[in-house]
Amino acid sequence: MPDFVQRVSAKNELVPEWASQEVSTGTTIMAVEYDGGVVIGADSRTTTGAYIANRVTDKLTQIHERIYCCRSGSAADTQAIADVVTYQLGFHSIELDEPPLVETAANLFKASCYRYREELTAGILVAGWDKRKGGQVYCVPIGGMLVRQPVSVGGSGSTYIYGFMDSNYKPGMTKDKCMELTATALSLAMERDGSSGGVVRLASISEEGVERRVILGNELPRFSTH
Amino acid sequence: MALSNLLEIPAAGFNFDNATRNAALEGLFEGQKPKPMKTGTTIAGVVFKDGVILAADTRATSGEVVADKMCDKIHYIAPNIYCCGAGTAADTGKTTDLVASNLAIFSLNSGRNPRVIMAVNILQDMLYRYRGQIGANLILGGVDCTGNHLYTVGPYGSVNTMPYLSMGSGDLAALGILEDGFKPNMELEEAKQLVRVAIHAGIMSDLGSGHNIDICVITRQGVDHNRPYQESEYKDNRKVNYRYRPGTTTILTEKVVPLKLELVQETVQQMETA
């Protein structure tokens, strides 16, 4: 993908290097299941090369009433895929006359991401609540794999928090503990990863509905190394 | 030969034949190949209390040469929607024309005024399909029944929405001014002043931006497209008239050869003006 970009764009001294690069959500995203729903979170930084194109991005995109996806990778690719799946799922739901299953949404993402795996750069977490299986998190990384996990992290910043997640996640946590865990994990990743930053966007999805929250930069938890 | 070319109706949409031709010709130019005209640019948009203001500089460059000093970068999309374009001048112009036509047809078919999000969706679809080959960085602004909107669409098809935006080679300079001076729900004069200073910063700090500042104020009441809103202080005093009086160049000799014409045929056709 990067090679293709450099060949095609007309290089002009007056246009800086980063302006001709593709917009990428170098990112940290996370999703956690709890009994009764899911908590999802993301940072808010979108970059074109070294420039932050949007410092307040909303990477938590609604696919259906109680199904969200967290986007990482190329901004254009993930926005396009999310639009396509929103349409497909909406149509499917109307046909069924029933709210769709999270597993269906995840499979639709997988279908697009796998079929066009050579052309796309998209790492997506699909999370939501449905009546059949309650809160679920599905991971669809680059390449188009699909796997359900109780907790999943993604994006460039995720590498810095695998250890934190492995030691701090316990099954059977309450919603508030999950929110706290997500906010802390994202803050840690944003500290270390240059492509993640801005604010922390959180959402909790359950039978009652969707509750969204923003934690501003100065309200984020701080850590002792500095 | 020329006649047969004229009769050929070109296929609709974009045609990338020239890209193969350019690749073939690359070898002949020995590194001096001509550069496409880009609007190395500063464009900005701001949402204020009663609507949206779009602003742009007016310099279009082709390599290091200024190709157009009074380039119009604020394109018409619909009576209530305008679009600033940065990137390749031809791409931004044609793309915005396409969207404007689509929305005009929609308006006629449905009897409704177009919404800003419709233009955004059409542009996003199209630019994503062309995978970045269309060099168009656009800032769309407009007022419709759902409110005041400002969006930016990138060449790969990514969309962002913010109350203030800037794009183009001078966007960092303009964004500094916008980040510092923006407040939600500004009054008209305050907002006009803010974008003016933002574009001015781009003109001063960026070589690809220059000359005058155009602005376009869009409100529910209508559109005020000011071109130029502010003229550049650096105007050149060159005479545009290049007519020289007879005798400026010394005449050495004069030879007159009468042209003998023979009337061969004369026909008269009455014009029907009834």
Side-chain angles (χ1 to χ4, degrees):
Chain A
M1 212 43 172
D3 281 347
F4 193 50
V5 167
Q6 271 139 34
R7 250 192 289 128
V8 164
S9 48
K11 289 291 176 184
N12 183 335
E13 297 73 49
L14 292 170
V15 177
E17 174 79 28
W18 49 260
S20 49
Q21 283 179 346
E22 194 175 342
V23 172
S24 125
T25 50
T27 286
T28 315
I29 49 175
M30 183 165 152
V32 189
E33 286 176 18
Y34 66 91
D35 183 21
V38 291
V39 167
I40 55 175
D43 75 304
S44 69
R45 183 172 288 184
T46 316
T47 49
T48 23
Y51 175 62
I52 299 174
N54 190 349
R55 57 185 172 85
V56 284
T57 327
D58 185 7
K59 303 180 191 178
L60 306 176
T61 305
Q62 189 171 36
I63 304 295
H64 204 266
E65 209 180 317
R66 286 183 178 72
I67 304 175
Y68 269 68
C69 77
C70 309
R71 302 181 290 111
S72 75
S74 152
D77 286 349
T78 53
Q79 281 176 9
I81 299 170
D83 283 346
V84 163
V85 173
T86 305
Y87 159 73
Q88 292 172 330
L89 198 66
F91 190 85
H92 167 76
S93 172
I94 288 172
E95 276 186 322
L96 248 51
D97 196 20
E98 228 181 68
L101 299 176
V102 186
E103 192 174 348
T104 313
N107 274 295
L108 286 170
F109 271 106
K110 187 240 348 236
S112 293
C113 291
Y114 183 70
R115 178 178 287 253
Y116 299 104
R117 56 182 301 166
E118 303 302 325
E119 287 88 41
L120 295 173
T121 314
I124 296 174
L125 296 177
V126 186
W129 181 92
D130 64 46
K131 215 168 63 166
R132 209 180 278 186
K133 294 187 186 164
Q136 298 145 74
V137 169
Y138 292 89
C139 182
V140 183
I142 295 175
M145 175 184 87
L146 171 62
V147 69
R148 180 182 171 183
Q149 294 177 309
V151 60
S152 196
V153 294
S156 57
S158 65
T159 53
Y160 303 101
I161 50 173
Y162 281 113
F164 176 80
M165 293 311 303
D166 288 339
S167 50
N168 287 71
Y169 171 73
K170 310 264 177 295
M173 292 199 299
T174 62
K175 179 176 100 167
D176 290 322
K177 291 239 90 177
C178 285
M179 287 277 223
E180 217 180 282
L181 181 74
T182 309
T184 312
L186 289 170
S187 308
L188 283 166
M190 281 154 62
E191 265 318 308
R192 288 293 180 178
D193 180 27
S195 313
S196 303
V199 305
V200 168
R201 293 196 188 272
L202 291 169
S204 78
I205 311 169
S206 64
E207 185 172 9
E208 283 78 51
V210 178
E211 195 192 296
R212 295 204 60 158
R213 204 189 295 179
V214 179
I215 305 180
L216 299 180
N218 57 347
E219 297 159 6
L220 288 172
R222 288 207 190 100
F223 308 101
S224 59
T225 50
H226 41 268
Chain B
M1 261 297 121
L3 261 175
S4 65
N5 283 346
L6 275 172
L7 290 172
E8 212 175 86
I9 301 162
F14 288 96
N15 182 338
F16 288 102
D17 286 348
N18 284 338
T20 25
R21 177 207 68 180
N22 291 346
L25 289 176
E26 221 157 290
L28 298 173
F29 282 111
E30 285 150 4
Q32 305 285 343
K33 62 175 180 161
K35 301 214 178 78
M37 181 162 109
K38 299 197 109 187
T39 49
T41 286
T42 310
I43 51 175
V46 148
V47 175
F48 71 105
K49 194 175 83 177
D50 304 315
V52 177
I53 303 186
L54 297 173
D57 73 303
T58 58
R59 175 180 289 181
T61 52
S62 180
E64 281 81 51
V65 178
V66 173
D68 191 350
K69 287 183 281 196
M70 226 356 211
C71 177
D72 187 7
K73 301 182 189 181
I74 305 182
H75 307 279
Y76 168 88
I77 302 257
N80 56 330
I81 307 172
Y82 276 73
C83 177
C84 296
T88 311
D91 287 346
T92 58
K94 264 300 182 244
T95 308
T96 46
D97 278 350
L98 260 163
V99 176
S101 306
N102 269 329
L103 289 182
I105 292 174
F106 161 79
S107 264
L108 291 167
N109 276 336
S110 65
R112 292 173 190 267
N113 282 331
R115 302 187 188 182
V116 185
I117 191 66
M118 295 162 73
V120 172
N121 282 331
I122 296 171
L123 282 168
Q124 179 178 40
D125 274 347
M126 188 175 115
L127 292 174
Y128 183 70
R129 220 177 335 129
Y130 283 97
R131 302 164 59 90
Q133 304 227 39
I134 297 177
N137 294 278
L138 306 165
I139 294 185
L140 271 127
V143 177
D144 58 35
C145 59
T146 52
N148 311 326
H149 299 285
L150 188 67
Y151 290 92
T152 177
V153 186
Y156 287 90
S158 56
V159 170
N160 282 313
T161 178
M162 287 265 281
Y164 56 93
L165 290 165
S166 72
M167 295 289 263
S169 54
D171 67 347
L172 291 179
L175 202 58
I177 302 291
L178 290 172
E179 287 277 20
D180 190 42
F182 176 81
K183 288 190 298 289
N185 291 320
M186 282 186 290
E187 296 295 334
L188 174 65
E189 283 314 313
E190 221 185 319
K192 267 174 150 175
Q193 172 71 355
L194 180 66
V195 282
R196 194 172 62 80
V197 178
I199 302 293
H200 189 73
I203 289 173
M204 286 294 133
S205 311
D206 175 41
L207 292 178
S209 309
H211 306 292
N212 310 327
I213 302 177
D214 294 345
I215 74 161
C216 184
V217 182
I218 310 170
T219 57
R220 300 217 93 203
Q221 284 70 45
V223 175
D224 182 21
H225 190 167
N226 256 336
R227 194 173 132 76
Y229 176 63
Q230 180 183 288
E231 290 212 323
S232 158
E233 309 119 49
Y234 308 101
K235 298 177 87 161
D236 69 69
N237 291 316
R238 275 179 295 175
K239 287 197 282 251
V240 195
N241 186 7
Y242 292 104
R243 228 179 253 152
Y244 300 96
R245 55 166 183 80
T248 313
T249 314
T250 332
I251 300 169
L252 297 176
T253 49
E254 207 175 296
K255 181 176 172 186
V256 178
V257 178
L259 204 61
K260 286 200 193 70
L261 289 174
E262 216 180 276
L263 184 61
V264 175
Q265 188 194 33
E266 192 177 325
T267 52
V268 175
Q269 186 174 43
Q270 296 280 13
M271 196 165 78
E272 283 176 38
T273 50

